[in-house]
Amino acid sequence: MRILSWAYLVAIFAFIFLPVVVLVLFSFQAGRLPVPPFDGPSLKWYAEVLGDGDLMAALRNSFFVALVSSTIALTLGFLAAQGLARVRLPGSVVMRGLLIAPMTVSYLIIALGLLSLFNHLGVRPSLWATGIGHVVINLPLCFAILFAAMGDHQKNAERAARDLGASELKVVTLITAPMLKPALLAAFFLSVTFSWDEFIIAFLLTRFDVTLPVEIWSMLRSGLSPATNAIGSLVFLVSIAILIVLELTIFRKSKS
């Protein structure tokens, strides 16, 4: 039984990480195609990627859209969750359902709807339009996480702060937000991840300033290349480094 448990564990990790291992391995391919046999190692594709101005611009655009749209989605989701969790309103169940409903809709449908709306309003495709689209898909996620994390113990602490004379702003900033810190961080970083990887909305709502997934797709139209593997490897390594730093700093302090 113990052997089967270890075999299952190895199989699970292999299933999850084998594509990443293959991606990283063939990013060091010396030849022009990222396929076996392995012909390397070589760092020339990394040098090419880091020296590509369009790729670096797309990388900056992705960071900008992910950080701004996630901050807005988190703020709006927090305010909506706080309002519906603390105030009894007629039809609050329906409102919660409507807020979460976009999570069940395909990104393609949302993107087409936004494209039609922006065309009608005269809004041109841009990074800002893409950011609005990412707020639409991430706001329901932030709301769902934060609403589920709000409990009676927070409500009691808020009530005690108000009885002691704290203003509503102080209650939210000094009581509610610190007590919801793990949920706020989880919602924010999940939103950043989804925005960072999102392709369909970014493809339809950008024109000249594109995000990294759209730029990679443009590169893939001309065929496979170890350069795309190098981009993926760099993004993966940066993500792992950020995750380790967050785990050692913010999340570990939250658990303690």
Side-chain angles (χ1 to χ4, degrees):
M1 191 65 185
R2 190 179 180 86
I3 295 176
L4 285 177
S5 300
W6 278 105
Y8 175 75
L9 187 65
V10 171
I12 285 292
F13 278 112
F15 180 77
I16 295 173
F17 288 105
L18 186 59
V20 178
V21 171
V22 172
L23 176 85
V24 174
L25 175 64
F26 284 98
S27 68
F28 296 101
Q29 178 83 301
R32 299 192 61 81
L33 292 175
V35 295
F38 180 68
D39 180 19
S42 171
L43 294 175
K44 70 176 184 178
W45 299 109
Y46 285 90
E48 181 175 306
V49 165
L50 294 175
D52 190 321
D54 292 337
L55 270 175
M56 292 300 105
L59 189 67
R60 289 192 294 272
N61 292 339
S62 286
F63 269 120
F64 173 74
V65 171
L67 292 178
V68 173
S69 66
S70 299
T71 301
I72 295 173
L74 181 69
T75 304
L76 296 178
F78 171 75
L79 294 176
Q82 178 74 0
L84 289 175
R86 300 294 182 257
V87 181
R88 290 186 177 180
L89 298 172
S92 59
V93 175
V94 176
M95 284 190 272
R96 289 201 302 269
L98 290 175
L99 278 170
I100 299 174
M103 294 176 68
T104 64
V105 180
S106 164
Y107 283 5
L108 178 60
I109 301 300
I110 293 175
L112 290 174
L114 287 171
L115 184 62
S116 300
L117 177 64
F118 288 157
N119 284 334
H120 181 72
L121 297 175
V123 178
R124 295 180 178 178
S126 65
L127 291 178
W128 290 105
T130 303
I132 292 172
H134 287 184
V135 171
V136 171
I137 63 173
N138 285 328
L139 196 157
L141 174 73
C142 294
F143 170 78
I145 293 174
L146 296 174
F147 187 82
M150 292 179 175
D152 289 337
H153 61 294
Q154 290 153 351
K155 189 184 297 184
N156 295 333
E158 293 170 359
R159 188 181 298 119
R162 291 190 190 96
D163 291 342
L164 293 172
S167 65
E168 198 61 34
L169 180 61
K170 285 187 176 179
V171 170
V172 172
T173 56
L174 300 180
I175 304 296
T176 308
M179 293 183 76
L180 290 174
K181 186 178 177 181
L184 287 168
L185 291 174
F188 178 74
F189 287 113
L190 274 176
S191 298
V192 170
T193 303
F194 288 155
S195 175
W196 174 264
D197 288 335
E198 200 285 323
F199 169 73
I200 297 175
I201 294 175
F203 177 71
L204 291 179
L205 298 183
T206 55
R207 182 169 296 171
F208 301 110
D209 294 326
V210 298
T211 59
L212 187 62
V214 179
E215 184 66 25
I216 292 175
W217 179 82
S218 299
M219 294 174 64
L220 290 174
R221 293 174 66 185
S222 59
L224 293 174
S225 167
T228 55
N229 290 44
I231 299 168
S233 301
L234 288 173
V235 171
F236 175 73
L237 293 175
V238 170
S239 302
I240 291 295
I242 293 174
L243 184 64
I244 292 173
V245 171
L246 291 175
E247 179 63 29
L248 293 177
T249 56
I250 298 175
F251 291 121
R252 181 164 295 183
K253 289 181 181 177
S254 299
K255 290 175 185 175
S256 62

